[in-house]
Amino acid sequence: MSEPLGIALLGCGTVGGGVVQLLRNRSDHLARRAGRALELRHVVVRDISKQRSCDVPRGLLTTDLAKAISDSRVNVVVELVGGTTWAKDAVLAALAAGKDVVTANKALLAEFGTEVFAAAHHHGRAIAFEGSVAGGIPIIGVLTQGLAANRITRLQGILNGTCNFVLSAMTDDKSDYNTALAEAQRLGYAEADPTLDVDGSDAAHKLAVLARVAFDVAMLPKQIERRGIVDVSPLDIRLAGELGCVIKLIADAQLHDNELTLLVAPVLVRRGTPLADVAGAYNAVRVVGDAVGDTLFYGAGAGAMPTASAVVADIIDMAIGRAQATFKAMRLWEPTTGIRLRSNDDVVSRFYIRLTVADKPGVLAEASGLLAMEQISIAEVIQHEATNDGSTALAIATHLVPAGKLRAALDRINQSDSLREPAVYYAMGL
Ligand code: HSE
């Protein structure tokens, strides 16, 4: 067997603990898969005295990043700290010290992908990042290897386990939002700052990473139109159910004629379709390629062991040399396809609209009239009895309409005196 692959792990939280567990508990199996032993040489943490759930030999723990990355017995630095400050400096320092990098840090790659990929190229090193998107689903490998022959035309996914867990709990168990989110935090799915999950930022980061790999295009997450799940109400979930749908936070990329639209938003997904059945913290990614057609990948999207599974797969690929060869061929530091980003205004979809209106004659006629002014045709309407304050929720499902036209109509509707609160809208079955 070749020389062992030396590893320095940065961070020993939820995922780091899973990686330590795999490296320590199945070393023989991993050595057979990698063709050499995988040896953990340092675990860099902020506080050595902190109680940890994982079983790291105390002698490996250090607070000294410089010592760990300058160790000549270390070949690969595995960054599992997260965030874009300390982690970014550490990754750049590791590359400059001649180490390959494995990271699960989607925020870093989404915000600073071009810079860190270019640094790796400059230093003749590689970065592998399977753990950064969709936890245990090997979607980066799917795009860089399995579907590499294809021109990808559509990529659609449930990419945030926390949001899917919360929406599933609100739908299936009638759980309230805060209780479900607290449970997702307790189970280790949520980010250190769960705002990043629920406001759609985490899914936007992951979509930016996937889009770079799938479409060879660089963008910043702020260029992705994004709506989170914070405003999804139990009433919307109930009305969606009456329309035969469940609400999911969907990340969506569509390519038409060299123009790419990107969107993260709650969507009403029709029951019985594959994405509707993705429950709890599970993720799923649908990829459409021009040669392969429609494909779907499903698995645990968050949590210690699923993400550790992806991280250790990257370490094995580094040990074999596969990750380095793929990184060199992909040239992610200089996207070249000339694909342009386009606003979502032209994306055509059905929409769900909820209007909270005064329950009086002519309100439905007024709303449908304002929709008709933008050529928006109604497919279904649901109205329940008025509440004590005389208002009622009017749920309208439209036929296909470009998002820009829908928004223009809602701007008019929002000015109506009959409206008790601003209109709510979500796309249906993108
Ligand atoms: N907070 C993320 C999620 C963790 O809930 O999906 C995995 O990236």
Side-chain angles (χ1 to χ4, degrees):
M1 260 197 198
S2 325
E3 285 286 291
L5 183 91
I7 299 160
L9 181 62
L10 314 186
C12 198
T14 307
V15 179
V19 170
V20 170
Q21 200 175 315
L22 284 179
L23 289 176
R24 283 175 57 76
N25 294 354
R26 60 182 58 163
S27 52
D28 290 349
H29 169 84
L30 297 180
R32 276 199 303 280
R33 286 282 181 267
R36 58 206 278 207
L38 307 180
E39 283 189 7
L40 189 57
R41 307 228 195 257
H42 304 279
V43 179
V44 181
V45 292
R46 211 174 2 203
D47 176 6
I48 290 181
S49 61
K50 189 176 157 188
Q51 275 298 100
R52 287 168 212 289
S53 52
C54 63
D55 180 22
V56 192
R58 218 181 149 74
L60 294 185
L61 287 173
T62 176
T63 56
D64 192 343
L65 172 70
K67 182 180 106 187
I69 63 179
S70 61
D71 183 343
S72 61
R73 298 169 314 141
V74 167
N75 310 98
V76 174
V77 171
V78 179
E79 184 274 307
L80 298 175
V81 174
T84 55
T85 50
W86 190 91
K88 180 182 171 211
D89 293 342
V91 163
L92 293 176
L95 294 167
K99 312 300 179 186
D100 292 319
V101 168
V102 169
T103 179
N105 191 333
K106 57 256 159 154
L108 175 65
L109 299 179
E111 301 280 0
F112 299 101
T114 301
E115 183 181 342
V116 295
F117 290 136
H121 173 57
H122 174 74
H123 294 292
R125 305 316 321 167
I127 302 180
F129 48 95
E130 186 63 77
S132 65
V133 180
I137 306 175
I139 191 66
I140 303 294
V142 162
L143 294 169
T144 56
Q145 295 170 41
L147 297 185
N150 288 265
R151 182 164 166 83
I152 306 299
T153 54
R154 184 83 185 261
L155 211 152
Q156 194 183 26
I158 293 174
L159 299 180
N160 184 271
T162 300
C163 288
N164 206 53
F165 182 90
V166 170
L167 292 174
S168 300
M170 288 173 74
T171 307
D172 301 336
D173 311 328
K174 309 287 173 278
S175 199
D176 78 87
Y177 174 89
N178 288 322
T179 309
L181 181 57
E183 182 65 359
Q185 288 178 278
R186 191 185 69 75
L187 292 168
Y189 304 143
E191 298 299 297
D193 173 4
T195 314
L196 295 174
D197 293 296
V198 296
D199 75 359
S201 302
D202 178 79
H205 287 149
K206 291 167 179 167
L207 185 60
V209 174
L210 287 182
R212 184 185 281 266
V213 176
F215 302 104
D216 204 4
V217 62
M219 91 283 313
L220 289 172
K222 67 178 181 209
Q223 293 174 271
I224 299 177
E225 185 185 322
R226 160 177 70 82
R227 298 166 71 195
I229 64 163
V230 186
D231 297 326
V232 175
S233 71
L235 178 58
D236 291 315
I237 288 175
R238 191 181 116 203
L239 290 166
E242 292 177 31
L243 290 165
C245 298
V246 288
I247 301 184
K248 297 283 181 194
L249 186 76
I250 300 286
D252 197 33
Q254 300 190 49
L255 184 70
H256 293 287
D257 302 331
N258 246 21
E259 291 189 327
L260 186 66
T261 52
L262 297 163
L263 176 68
V264 172
V267 170
L268 272 71
V269 180
R270 188 153 291 285
R271 280 193 195 280
T273 58
L275 292 183
D277 288 337
V278 177
Y282 277 83
N283 280 193
V285 190
R286 174 184 171 220
V287 184
V288 183
D290 60 353
V292 72
D294 221 312
T295 62
L296 184 69
F297 304 89
Y298 169 85
M305 298 318 291
T307 313
S309 158
V311 170
V312 174
D314 274 348
I315 297 173
I316 291 170
D317 270 3
M318 286 289 188
I320 292 172
R322 214 157 38 197
Q324 293 87 333
T326 302
F327 183 77
K328 203 168 161 196
M330 290 287 294
R331 303 187 73 79
L332 294 171
W333 56 90
E334 53 173 17
T336 51
T337 43
I339 287 174
R340 291 177 304 280
L341 297 188
R342 198 184 68 178
S343 122
N344 284 288
D345 279 351
D346 298 330
V347 174
V348 173
S349 170
R350 296 178 69 212
F351 282 91
Y352 157 89
I353 304 167
R354 173 170 59 81
L355 306 177
T356 304
V357 292
D359 191 16
K360 60 179 191 190
V363 171
L364 181 55
E366 183 189 3
S368 63
L370 291 169
L371 291 172
M373 282 174 74
E374 294 289 343
Q375 311 299 318
I376 300 171
S377 166
I378 293 174
E380 249 176 288
V381 176
I382 300 175
Q383 184 184 344
H384 290 291
E385 286 294 312
T387 55
N388 289 341
D389 70 354
S391 67
T392 186
L394 200 56
I396 298 173
T398 72
H399 283 296
L400 290 173
V401 52
K405 273 185 181 291
L406 190 275
R407 288 195 267 247
L410 292 184
D411 283 347
R412 291 176 204 266
I413 289 175
N414 278 332
Q415 286 164 26
S416 162
D417 291 338
S418 309
L419 224 64
R420 295 274 167 93
E421 55 184 64
V424 170
Y425 75 99
Y426 300 118
M428 296 181 77
L430 278 179

